Amino acid sequence: MNLMFISNEDRADQWRDNLTALLPDLNFYVWPDDQAVDPATIDYVLAWKPAPGIIKRFPNLKAILSLGAGIDGITCDPELPIDKPLVHLVDRSLTQGMVQFALYWVLHFHRQMGTYQKFAEARTWRQLPQAEVDACRVGILGFGELGQAVGSALAAQHFDVAGWSRSPKQIAGITSYAGAEALPGFLGRSDMLICLLPLTPETEGIIDAALLAALPRGAIVINLARGRHLVDADLLAALDSGHLSAAVLDVFYNEPLAAEHPFWAHEKVTVTPHIAALTSPRSGADSVAANIERIERGETPLNLIDLARGY
Ligand code: NAP
Ligand code: GLV
């Protein structure tokens, strides 16, 4: 079996070590170093944001495997071969990272840690009432693999959690809202809104002025999905008007975020550099290897993307 690794990150050696330990028959090549290899012999591409037109050079692929949960960096290739199975990464370490990051920020706001930090800077000893956790309503926009893991972790802490998805879900202790008609009701009860949607033509720009206006006054927006879900100017206007009290942004329309972007200096905005959940070559290799083994046995891979749906 031959796999071509295509990524601008520099962890190819870690992926090679982990994958070949699990799949001893795997020949692991790296683009562009190994571009002399006959492209017709490549069975798998393992990719993160490949340059447009590269994947179609490999005519005999059994599958295109994403190095991340999101596949928008692959499907944006106008020459992507759409007849090949495309698989997104579902990985325990990625999920744990996302759960930790979301929990951290929800607890930060719920326990008023920003206010206590300001008190400490002013050497002020002051106790605020501790808000009731079950009165804090968290809404998760995009209730799939990551959204459900985050929702379950928050529900275990007794937050009042709801998830919004295309299809209804049945998860104990969590309210499910499904479809466009259910969105206003979901937003109206989201004191903290966490975005974990995939980027698709339907979800691009979804966090706009109308959506933000439907949130309760004082709401907090936490975007952990893709920058293009958010209309930056609409978020800034909602923060400046006082309708929103804070935003945590891990992802941006253009990454890296330009030094002059107003998000950096805004007192209500926290910027992190797309680190909510990073793929680990160690645990990620387990998922990738398991899927390659399934395909080699003639089985359908897990976590297939439906290109017509966009995720
Ligand atoms: P997933 O399992 O495919 O879940 C996607 C969810 O979004 C599903 O619940 C789906 O509904 C819902 N959805 C999609 N389109 C919708 C629409 N038009 N209306 C309503 N709901 C819609 O994806 P995932 O693995 O959880 O990953 C989610 C995203 O997280 C990724 O695509 C990526 O952009 C982002 N991410 C970010 C980081 C980071 O470090 N910041 C790390 C990893 C992932 P159904 O359940 O009904 O299908
Ligand atoms: C990261 O953003 C991912 O999609 O895995």
Side-chain angles (χ1 to χ4, degrees):
M1 292 171 296
N2 296 327
L3 178 146
M4 184 63 79
F5 180 88
I6 308 174
S7 169
N8 57 6
E9 56 143 309
D10 57 3
R11 292 184 299 169
D13 287 345
Q14 292 177 49
W15 279 98
R16 173 186 284 112
D17 293 349
N18 285 288
L19 274 178
T20 53
L22 295 163
L23 301 170
D25 294 338
L26 186 76
N27 297 307
F28 185 100
Y29 300 110
V30 179
W31 185 269
D33 305 4
D34 296 318
Q35 55 182 301
V37 173
D38 178 0
T41 64
I42 298 297
D43 302 300
Y44 299 98
V45 152
L46 179 58
W48 179 249
K49 297 188 180 172
I54 292 189
I55 292 182
K56 78 152 197 240
R57 294 182 190 210
F58 306 101
N60 296 321
L61 291 179
K62 294 176 185 168
I64 302 162
L65 310 167
S66 171
L67 277 162
I71 42 79
D72 45 292
I74 295 176
T75 53
C76 62
D77 178 350
E79 298 176 76
L80 183 73
I82 54 168
D83 56 331
K84 310 289 182 193
L86 171 61
V87 172
H88 85 126
L89 188 74
V90 174
D91 160 52
R92 64 177 183 277
S93 168
L94 192 78
T95 303
Q96 282 162 4
M98 188 57 84
V99 167
Q100 290 165 6
F101 194 86
L103 204 50
Y104 176 94
W105 282 108
V106 169
L107 289 171
H108 171 91
F109 291 113
H110 177 65
R111 296 305 307 266
Q112 305 174 82
M113 296 312 292
T115 307
Y116 283 117
Q117 197 172 339
K118 286 193 184 123
F119 288 171
E121 283 160 11
R123 303 185 183 204
T124 299
W125 182 276
R126 186 174 158 202
Q127 295 177 333
L128 301 172
Q130 186 175 313
E132 297 296 340
V133 68
D134 56 5
C136 179
R137 301 167 300 173
V138 183
I140 303 174
L141 205 52
F143 208 49
E145 202 64 46
L146 298 175
Q148 289 181 32
V150 166
S152 299
L154 290 168
Q157 294 298 320
H158 307 286
F159 286 95
D160 181 357
V161 181
W164 182 70
S165 44
R166 285 204 331 175
S167 53
K169 313 287 175 211
Q170 283 193 322
I171 300 176
I174 298 182
T175 312
S176 167
Y177 290 79
E181 62 289 352
L183 187 58
F186 164 82
L187 294 170
R189 49 82 63 216
S190 294
D191 301 315
M192 295 193 206
L193 181 76
I194 302 176
C195 180
L196 279 169
L197 282 165
L199 185 65
T200 69
E202 280 181 41
T203 64
E204 180 157 6
I206 189 170
I207 308 176
D208 61 3
L211 180 146
L212 295 170
L215 293 170
R217 189 165 178 82
I220 292 162
V221 170
I222 303 176
N223 187 14
L224 310 181
R226 287 292 182 262
R228 287 168 194 243
H229 286 127
L230 176 67
V231 180
D232 292 3
D234 291 357
L235 180 81
L236 288 166
L239 289 164
D240 291 341
S241 72
H243 181 64
L244 295 182
S245 61
V248 174
L249 306 175
D250 183 55
V251 285
F252 302 91
Y253 195 90
N254 289 311
E255 296 182 3
L257 184 64
E260 61 277 11
H261 197 289
F263 284 157
W264 286 111
H266 200 289
E267 61 173 359
K268 290 181 171 179
V269 177
T270 301
V271 168
T272 53
H274 200 144
I275 46 75
L278 297 176
T279 300
S280 144
R282 187 162 62 88
S283 76
D286 290 345
S287 311
V288 170
N291 248 340
I292 290 178
E293 282 171 334
R294 285 179 70 92
I295 296 167
E296 292 297 317
R297 287 196 299 267
E299 295 170 20
T300 306
L302 300 174
N303 310 313
L304 261 184
I305 295 299
D306 174 347
L307 283 175
R309 214 177 48 166
Y311 67 98

